[in-house]
Amino acid sequence: MALNYISAAEAASLIKHGYNIGLSGFTPAGTAKAVTAELAKIAEAEHAKGNPFQIGIFTGASTGDSCDGVLSRVKAIRYRAPYTTNSDFRKAVNNGEIAYNDIHLSQMAQEVRYGFMGKVNVAIIEACEVTPDGKIYLTAAGGIAPTVCRLADQIIVELNAAHSKNAMGLHDVYEPLDPPYRREIPIYKPSDRIGLPYIQVDPKKIIGVVETNWPDEARSFAAADPLTDKIGQNVADFLAADMKRGIIPPTFLPLQSGVGNIANAVLGALGRDKTIPPFEMYTEVIQNSVIGLIREGRVKFGSACSLTVTNDCLEGIYQDMDFFRDKLVLRPSEISNSPEVVRRLGIISINTAIEADIYGNVNSTHIGGTKMMNGIGGSGDFTRNAYISIFTCPSVAKEGKISAIVPMVSHMDHTEHDVNIIITEQGVADLRGKSPKERAQAIIENCVHPDYKNILWDYLKLTDGKSQTPHALRAALAMHAELAQSGDMKNVDWAQYK
């Protein structure tokens, strides 16, 4: 069956008001670009005529500006799940313009399969190659592409020349059966491959192939600074000490690391610490720092859902694929983030908190408890099931006006039951085996900025001190209220709550 080559504008015209579209990609890596950019033009024109035009979007994680950004700005998104990082999308969500469903990334594909979110009308999939018999070779990410390809009535392929055909073979495409027929996912070490290097679809469903040459809208992260370096060193020192005392095996354990400059600093510190042997990654995203560690031999293997790297780094991987072919694999997100596999492999998870409270509960998503930042991403998939779960953050923000450690988090994504370790530039709070009162003491003593230590000790004096988890409920969110009123948490006055 011959492939039908069409323009991005022609492809976009096939998507109608009220449709749900499913996209490839995970972060801006590997996601649709050309068709969604044209779709925004259609929405803008229809709105100018007074006609409605909005769609639902199912993705693996965040996308780039050519999807989330342009579609948000023309108010073309009715519903969207899951994670995102686009600032214009964030504004629209927090203005109540988009119905945004923030769910665990490991659950996205299966919730679409279970029918929880409605029909997938069209899948838009970025590929480095597509064959007339329906083999689609993905680019820099797995995401939920296998699921939306199978469920969609129609498929549009963006054949992107910006991605080398050397990417063929990088993927391990595997989709589990649904209950009651589901079996174990047979991954027993990060390098195991259990699926196919491509997505096989019915070629009759491919209604168009759009040829593009559009690099991933990659994000670069801020360079390491003394604060992030200190956090990274604290993590490395903690893990080295746990290995020395036999908590972590001498062969070490696979790591999961979130996205951003703190994650890069952590991985840099682990790479420099030669008391830690070369290790493996079983994670959702691989950043530039991991690629460097693979080249240096400090990371033996990287299993992930996406290559969230700069374009020059990605080009280097494609050029050196003979070197990387047995050191990297990209999986669908429900496999890269599978709680079953995470627990089996004994993953050490390292994620970033917006804030944590004195008992170890963590807020990863909301500013002030109400304004969405990005979303929970995969942090919950890994945290709940990790061998050791670690959260990192600077102890203060906004020039010291905000403490990242508070009496009670304003929104809770990860409960105290799942959080083992909290690390700031101030130090490490090991919460394992501790009661709530003991956790509070460890967190205040080791992680809180000096400007806030006495403030948090004074908060505890407001409580009866006898409860299992002592709280003065009227005062529990007073630091947040003070920030909203005066702009500085340090101005909180506990006297009014006595």
Side-chain angles (χ1 to χ4, degrees):
M1 179 177 173
L3 296 169
N4 179 33
Y5 288 85
I6 60 177
S7 70
E10 289 172 321
S13 71
L14 301 173
I15 298 169
K16 307 303 181 184
H17 168 66
Y19 272 22
N20 291 322
I21 64 171
L23 304 180
S24 64
F26 191 96
T27 73
T31 197
K33 307 169 183 66
V35 177
T36 50
E38 290 296 328
L39 198 58
K41 297 176 184 177
I42 293 173
E44 190 170 33
E46 289 299 310
H47 293 164
K49 298 175 189 175
N51 298 327
F53 193 96
Q54 286 195 314
I55 57 171
I57 303 178
F58 308 148
T59 72
S62 58
T63 69
D65 189 70
S66 56
C67 180
D68 279 348
V70 295
L71 291 171
S72 296
R73 290 192 287 274
V74 297
K75 303 186 187 308
I77 304 174
R78 183 199 69 79
Y79 173 91
R80 166 82 161 76
Y83 187 81
T84 185
T85 57
N86 183 271
S87 59
D88 288 317
F89 180 93
R90 184 185 305 124
K91 290 174 188 174
V93 167
N94 289 322
N95 286 335
E97 297 169 9
I98 295 173
Y100 175 44
N101 187 4
D102 179 31
I103 65 175
H104 300 293
L105 298 186
S106 71
Q107 295 179 333
M108 183 62 192
Q110 75 173 24
E111 292 203 7
V112 174
R113 276 201 310 274
Y114 293 171
F116 293 176
M117 299 183 192
K119 187 178 183 59
V120 183
N121 300 102
V122 178
I124 309 174
I125 308 297
E126 183 181 84
C128 66
E129 182 62 291
V130 57
T131 64
D133 63 347
K135 291 181 175 64
I136 300 174
Y137 291 85
L138 299 171
T139 59
I144 61 170
T147 294
V148 295
C149 279
R150 187 164 59 77
L151 296 179
D153 293 334
Q154 299 174 317
I155 299 170
I156 297 167
V157 176
E158 289 192 7
L159 185 58
N160 192 344
H163 290 277
S164 169
K165 286 183 171 52
N166 286 346
M168 295 169 66
L170 188 58
H171 287 264
D172 185 41
V173 177
Y174 178 92
E175 196 177 5
L177 296 173
D178 289 335
Y181 306 106
R182 180 168 294 182
R183 299 292 303 274
E184 73 279 3
I185 297 171
I187 294 175
Y188 307 107
K189 56 184 185 298
S191 56
D192 282 346
R193 286 175 172 266
I194 60 174
L196 297 172
Y198 52 82
I199 301 173
Q200 181 66 62
V201 304
D202 180 350
K204 294 177 183 176
K205 289 173 60 171
I206 302 177
I207 57 173
V209 176
V210 177
E211 293 183 294
T212 73
N213 192 340
W214 196 324
D216 283 339
E217 295 165 336
R219 307 189 308 274
S220 58
F221 296 100
D225 57 37
L227 187 145
T228 57
D229 280 342
K230 181 59 176 170
I231 294 173
Q233 194 59 54
N234 285 345
V235 174
D237 291 346
F238 163 77
L239 292 175
D242 248 23
M243 189 177 69
K244 186 175 181 180
R245 68 193 187 101
I247 299 294
I248 297 173
T251 55
F252 212 59
L253 289 168
L255 290 185
Q256 174 262 339
S257 177
V259 181
N261 57 345
I262 293 179
N264 275 326
V266 168
L267 291 166
L270 290 170
R272 292 189 297 270
D273 191 334
K274 297 305 188 286
T275 66
I276 295 175
F279 55 90
E280 297 171 306
M281 303 284 293
Y282 193 89
T283 189
E284 56 188 359
V285 294
I286 282 179
Q287 298 186 109
N288 285 31
S289 55
V290 176
I291 298 303
L293 292 173
I294 291 175
R295 290 186 184 278
E296 296 165 14
R298 292 294 291 144
V299 169
K300 296 185 293 183
F301 192 88
S303 169
C305 185
S306 84
L307 292 171
T308 305
V309 296
T310 56
N311 288 320
D312 59 341
C313 180
L314 183 62
E315 184 59 33
I317 294 169
Y318 289 154
Q319 290 176 0
D320 296 339
M321 192 54 76
D322 287 343
F323 171 78
F324 282 106
R325 197 168 298 282
D326 64 350
K327 300 175 181 66
L328 283 176
V329 66
L330 298 181
R331 309 184 190 276
S333 50
E334 68 178 323
I335 307 301
S336 67
N337 290 39
S338 166
E340 172 201 343
V341 178
V342 169
R343 185 164 291 197
R344 178 186 301 133
L345 297 184
I347 306 299
I348 297 170
S349 71
I350 308 169
N351 290 287
T352 303
I354 290 175
E355 64 181 1
D357 69 28
I358 56 176
Y359 297 113
N361 301 293
V362 168
N363 171 14
S364 294
T365 58
H366 286 72
I367 304 299
T370 63
K371 297 293 185 181
M372 173 59 68
M373 186 62 184
N374 297 320
I376 196 168
S379 56
D381 299 325
F382 289 93
T383 294
R384 181 72 185 274
N385 301 284
Y387 185 92
I388 301 172
S389 63
I390 300 171
F391 277 92
T392 64
C393 61
S395 63
V396 292
K398 300 295 183 184
E399 300 176 331
K401 295 177 181 178
I402 298 174
S403 173
I405 310 296
V406 293
M408 180 183 284
V409 287
S410 57
H411 175 91
M412 188 189 302
D413 294 293
H414 311 280
T415 75
E416 60 183 287
H417 312 292
D418 304 326
V419 179
N420 296 142
I421 313 292
I422 293 177
I423 297 178
T424 70
E425 82 284 0
Q426 300 295 324
V428 178
D430 187 344
L431 311 182
R432 294 171 295 184
K434 290 183 170 63
S435 70
K437 295 174 191 175
E438 292 169 332
R439 290 198 291 268
Q441 182 174 0
I443 291 170
I444 296 173
E445 191 59 40
N446 295 297
C447 294
V448 173
H449 191 279
D451 289 350
Y452 287 94
K453 271 192 180 182
N454 286 336
I455 292 173
L456 288 170
W457 285 126
D458 287 344
Y459 168 78
L460 280 179
K461 293 175 185 176
L462 296 176
T463 73
D464 63 14
K466 298 175 183 178
S467 303
Q468 164 69 4
T469 304
H471 265 305
L473 290 179
R474 284 201 315 120
L477 296 175
M479 289 174 66
H480 297 91
E482 185 59 44
L483 176 67
Q485 182 174 334
S486 73
D488 194 332
M489 285 185 175
K490 289 192 295 293
N491 294 333
V492 67
D493 179 12
W494 298 127
Q496 61 185 303
Y497 299 103
K498 289 181 180 178

